Amino acid sequence: MATRTDINGISELQQRASRANRPIRGIISDLDGVAYRDDDPIPGSVQAFRGWHERGVPYAFVTNNSTKSAAQFAAKLNGMGIPATAAQVFNTISAVSILLQQRWRPGTPVFAIGEQPLLEALEESGYRLTGTDAEVVVLGFDAGLNYAKLRGAIRAALAGATVIATNPDVLTPVHDGYDPCVGVLTAAVAAAVPSATPIVVGKPHPFMIEQALKHLGTRKEETVMIGDQIATDIVAGQRAGLRTILIASDVPFNAVTGVVPERIITSLLDLVDVVSEETGAA
């Protein structure tokens, strides 16, 4: 039997997983590339989420972006016409804060690179931001990244500080192309200090997805993770035990050996009727 291969090089037969016929009762979704692109809403996605909201289908969002708080992301979504609350958004700011609280006492000196929401969250969690004698280095996206900040991170790592990165992404989509992301900064620090193995809290680590699943209250086998990147979204979803759906986009990605999404779609509208019919009154 011949199989047809789509634009991403994954055959239709490969997409057919054993759980494909089970109902979809919960949705966990990436943000940039799925709900919107930079500051531009994706019309089909807006329509899909509004439809799920009206039908009472539970959904949540997970993002590696550390430049906004959960409340800011929710405000952005609502401004685009997608109903959302801060409680539905799980990002790497809270993930970093939780990791610090699990492993380091309040008051621990932290050298952090990132935007204001990340820095504020670290201070609110009880950690002391410092430029010297840091025990932990936190690497997040920073549009104001400069040599002085890179030097500070490397010197702290050389002195034995633990390095935490919000996410491994090397590119982030913007309105006119792509910008370097945290993965590039992390690679620079790791190249300078090979003994400092960074801890990455964002996708493909399943932590945020597991938190989102608890919020939804749905079963793993009846919940899908939707994303536009195999190496982060799909891998994280599978590590969390969820069914995964890849939405085709123009963001470049590399295939990951042995990782195949259950389904590939071109628009969230491809899922609207499936989810609403399968959810029903259950």
Side-chain angles (χ1 to χ4, degrees):
M1 177 180 177
T3 62
R4 182 168 63 86
T5 301
D6 73 356
I7 59 174
N8 294 295
I10 302 175
S11 69
E12 289 180 333
L13 286 182
Q14 284 180 300
Q15 297 177 48
R16 298 174 186 172
S18 61
R19 298 183 295 179
N21 294 324
R22 294 186 182 180
I24 298 174
R25 304 189 191 280
I27 297 166
I28 299 176
S29 173
D30 181 37
L31 284 175
D32 207 342
V34 179
Y36 52 73
R37 175 60 47 80
D38 196 20
D39 289 323
D40 298 321
I42 298 174
S45 297
V46 173
Q47 185 177 343
F49 280 111
R50 289 183 66 86
W52 291 327
H53 176 74
E54 292 170 358
R55 292 173 175 80
V57 178
Y59 57 81
F61 302 95
V62 291
T63 175
N64 278 351
N65 191 323
S66 63
T67 66
K68 293 182 177 65
S69 67
Q72 289 173 317
F73 277 117
K76 179 175 181 175
L77 289 166
N78 280 293
M80 293 178 172
I82 298 176
T85 65
Q88 290 174 279
V89 181
F90 300 83
N91 71 352
T92 50
I93 291 179
S94 59
V96 167
S97 297
I98 292 173
L99 176 63
L100 285 171
Q101 291 166 357
Q102 290 175 342
R103 301 191 185 184
W104 287 274
R105 67 189 184 284
T108 297
V110 175
F111 181 86
I113 295 177
E115 301 287 333
Q116 200 59 34
L118 173 62
L119 304 181
E120 290 176 353
L122 295 176
E123 289 187 312
E124 290 171 359
S125 296
Y127 296 93
R128 177 169 62 86
L129 298 184
T130 180
T132 59
D133 69 6
E135 293 183 28
V136 181
V137 173
V138 174
L139 304 177
F141 182 85
D142 188 344
L145 178 65
N146 55 33
Y147 184 80
K149 293 179 180 179
L150 177 59
R151 179 181 59 199
I154 289 175
R155 287 189 175 182
L158 284 169
T162 300
V163 179
I164 300 174
T166 56
N167 59 288
D169 304 76
V170 294
L171 292 175
T172 184
V174 293
H175 71 282
D176 58 351
Y178 307 98
D179 282 349
C181 200
V182 181
V184 175
L185 172 59
T186 306
V189 174
V193 193
S195 60
T197 302
I199 300 171
V200 181
V201 299
K203 298 172 290 182
H205 194 286
F207 177 77
M208 292 188 296
I209 295 177
E210 292 167 348
Q211 295 299 306
L213 185 65
K214 290 180 182 178
H215 173 76
L216 295 182
T218 52
R219 298 169 60 187
K220 291 182 179 181
E221 62 269 23
E222 296 181 342
T223 306
V224 294
M225 171 65 202
I226 305 171
D228 67 329
Q229 291 292 295
I230 291 180
T232 51
D233 302 318
I234 303 306
V235 171
Q238 292 185 359
R239 287 179 176 176
L242 305 189
R243 300 159 61 182
T244 56
I245 296 177
L246 181 71
I247 184 167
S249 74
D250 60 355
V251 179
F253 65 80
N254 295 318
V256 178
T257 302
V259 179
V260 180
E262 179 178 295
R263 184 177 177 186
I264 297 174
I265 60 176
T266 58
S267 169
L268 290 192
L269 292 177
D270 296 340
L271 296 177
V272 170
D273 291 337
V274 175
V275 174
S276 61
E277 289 175 1
E278 291 180 343
T279 301

